[in-house]
Amino acid sequence: MSDTNGGKQTPRPAVQKRQPLSGARSLSGMQTSRTPEYLVIGHICGDIHPNGKVVLGGTALYSAVTASRLGLRTAVLTRGIYGREVEGYDIPSLEEYADELQIIVQDSDTTTMFVNEYTGGRRTQKLPHWAGPIDLRGLPPHWRNARIIHLGPIAQEIDPKQTGSLSPTFLGATPQGW
């Protein structure tokens, strides 16, 4: 009991511990309008397997899902096409991540796709399709000051000159794509 109201005490609402998002727990309107705690910027790519099947991947997807499952309110800025056929390949949808992540997808004619070939224990990557540069001006203003911003380029899609408008507590980068 906490408050006194005309001699009567009213119960204080129970404080609920923040739980990681899951299929059983979806985002409310309030959560989708709140500043993310963790924002990752980079292409969610498609890895083309030898049988022609495309599997989603990339730093942006993997780190965002990990952060979300660790309990952070997580968002992604990416570019591509998802949930459709592109260049003769069926690109998986991002719908399975809708309950975990806020995702902004900038329009493109294709999705960044890699072909990984393994010979003698070594990997060779080919980049047959590129979604193009990500325009950081497409970030909602309140996303620019996410507590953690992770730049995760995989194919030269982030122009470092555009990052000056970001104001996180911690700015990190996985530079593999620069």
Side-chain angles (χ1 to χ4, degrees):
M1 304 292 169
S2 61
D3 299 331
T4 315
N5 185 6
K8 295 181 181 178
Q9 290 186 343
T10 56
R12 177 176 288 171
V15 176
Q16 293 183 349
K17 182 179 175 190
R18 178 162 164 64
Q19 297 294 316
L21 298 175
S22 67
R25 183 171 169 257
S26 63
L27 293 171
S28 70
M30 174 66 96
Q31 288 171 308
T32 57
S33 65
R34 292 172 63 192
T35 301
E37 295 169 302
Y38 180 90
L39 168 64
V40 61
I41 302 168
H43 283 169
I44 294 176
C45 69
D47 290 327
I48 304 170
H49 287 220
N51 63 3
K53 181 179 178 179
V54 175
V55 176
L56 295 180
T59 299
L61 180 63
Y62 296 140
S63 61
V65 168
T66 300
S68 175
R69 292 179 184 173
L70 288 171
L72 295 175
R73 190 174 45 257
T74 305
V76 178
L77 175 64
T78 192
R79 183 172 180 164
I81 297 175
Y82 306 95
R84 299 193 339 222
E85 184 177 305
V86 177
E87 309 282 344
Y89 296 100
D90 287 325
I91 307 300
S93 171
L94 296 173
E95 285 299 313
E96 75 175 276
Y97 306 104
D99 287 342
E100 293 183 84
L101 309 172
Q102 299 174 61
I103 304 174
I104 293 177
V105 178
Q106 294 179 343
D107 290 334
S108 179
D109 293 332
T110 189
T111 294
T112 294
M113 291 188 252
F114 288 97
V115 175
N116 297 305
E117 296 174 350
Y118 297 89
T119 307
R122 298 191 77 154
R123 178 177 79 169
T124 302
Q125 279 192 315
K126 295 180 183 173
L127 181 67
H129 306 286
W130 187 60
I134 294 174
D135 187 354
L136 297 187
R137 294 172 297 185
L139 278 173
H142 64 288
W143 284 25
R144 294 177 186 282
N145 63 350
R147 187 168 47 133
I148 301 167
I149 297 181
H150 178 177
L151 304 174
I154 57 171
Q156 298 288 334
E157 69 269 27
I158 300 172
D159 180 355
K161 293 175 188 169
Q162 285 194 353
T163 63
S165 65
L166 305 175
S167 56
T169 301
F170 179 84
L171 177 64
T174 305
Q176 71 185 19
W178 272 328

